[in-house]
């Protein structure tokens, strides 16, 4: 009998290289799938996309809950895949939910966690650590909502407050290959260890 797959999450501010690293990691693993939140292809994801493109205005609480709903609608599929032994490499997760909404005025980080409590617990979270000024120099921030230096600095600070034992802070200012090398080493280290471990619940 083969064991379950691992739930691996990539987090970081906009332009920190998450998507590239997710792709490289999935390609390097034998039984892995990539996922991305927000998943803009579903009905909730479409609404989030409209909001990000400033085509739709939503109350801060409403958009916060919509992002969470967009994750919950994938819960069953995630658990099924993990149980089948598929490792999931996820580009953003509930940590983004807390770090981004928590960067808005009047939001407390603990309170921001509430809608995502109980989601599948990641086995490993890579925080691609890139300073906001470096990210903005690499490639200009785009025109989407949230892609502004002051806001990103608050997001970055929030991410650091969310660090827990599953987190690994990765220096993302290095080359793509160096970052990938570190990530792959850590993943290969845990794959065998999680096989027999039941999947936990996030922040529960
Ligand atoms: P991306 O497709 O990875 O570029 O994400 C779109 C934007 O949405 C990005 O600025 C990060 C932000 N974001 C991702 N997840 C959440 C979330 O759960 N809540 C909030 N408020 N923002 C999020
Ligand atoms: Na973005
Ligand atoms: Na991205």
């Amino acid at each position: 009998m083969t064991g379950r797959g691992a739930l691996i999450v990539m987090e970081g501010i906009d332009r920190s290289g998450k998507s590239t690293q997710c792709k490289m990691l999935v390609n390097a693993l034998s039984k892995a799938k990539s996922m991305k939140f927000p998943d803009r292809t579903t009905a909730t994801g479409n609404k989030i996309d409209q909001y990000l493109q400033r085509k739709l205005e939503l109350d801060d609480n409403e958009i916060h809950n919509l992002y969470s709903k967009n994750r919950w609608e994938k819960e069953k599929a995630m658990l099924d895949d993990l149980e089948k032994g598929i490792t999931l490499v996820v580009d953003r997760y509930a940590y983004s939910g807390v770090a981004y909404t928590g960067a808005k005025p009047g939001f407390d980080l603990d309170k921001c966690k509430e809608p995502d409590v109980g989601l599948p617990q990641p086995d490993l979270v890579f925080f691609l650590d890139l300073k906001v000024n470096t990210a903005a120099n690499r490639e200009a921030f785009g025109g989407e909502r949230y892609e502004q230096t002051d806001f990103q600095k608050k997001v970055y600070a929030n991410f650091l407050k969310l660090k827990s034992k599953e987190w690994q802070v990765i220096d993302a200012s290095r080359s793509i290959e160096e970052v990938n090398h570190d990530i792959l080493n850590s993943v290969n280290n845990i794959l065998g260890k999680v096989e027999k471990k039941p999947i936990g619940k996030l922040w529960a």
Side-chain angles (χ1 to χ4, degrees), residues 52-164:
L52 287 168
Q53 292 186 50
R54 300 174 209 270
K55 291 176 183 163
L56 179 69
E57 290 305 317
L58 292 170
D59 172 74
D60 288 336
N61 274 303
E62 202 181 335
I63 185 67
H64 181 66
N65 291 326
L66 205 55
Y67 273 109
S68 177
K69 190 174 170 198
N70 184 246
R71 287 182 282 271
W72 277 106
E73 59 195 11
K74 289 287 180 309
E75 182 211 14
K76 171 93 171 54
M78 290 174 78
L79 294 174
D80 286 352
D81 280 343
L82 291 168
E83 269 150 31
K84 280 186 216 148
I86 298 168
T87 285
L88 296 176
V89 176
V90 187
D91 187 342
R92 294 195 188 277
Y93 202 50
Y95 310 98
S96 278
V98 176
Y100 280 76
T101 296
K104 298 179 182 184
F107 281 88
D108 165 86
L109 294 193
D110 281 329
K111 193 102 178 99
C112 287
K113 288 179 180 175
E114 284 173 8
D116 288 301
V117 168
L119 278 173
Q121 165 72 50
D123 297 298
L124 203 49
V125 179
F126 291 108
F127 177 62
L128 296 196
D129 187 359
L130 193 67
K131 297 284 176 295
V132 173
N133 291 333
T134 315
N137 279 341
R138 259 187 188 181
E139 193 188 338
F141 284 127
E144 284 203 327
R145 214 185 282 261
Y146 303 150
E147 296 189 349
Q148 287 133 9
T149 304
D150 291 354
F151 190 81
Q152 296 280 326
K153 283 184 176 163
K154 290 183 188 137
V155 172
Y156 178 89
N158 286 343
F159 271 128
L160 294 181
K161 290 178 196 153
L162 294 172
K163 270 196 275 178
S164 55

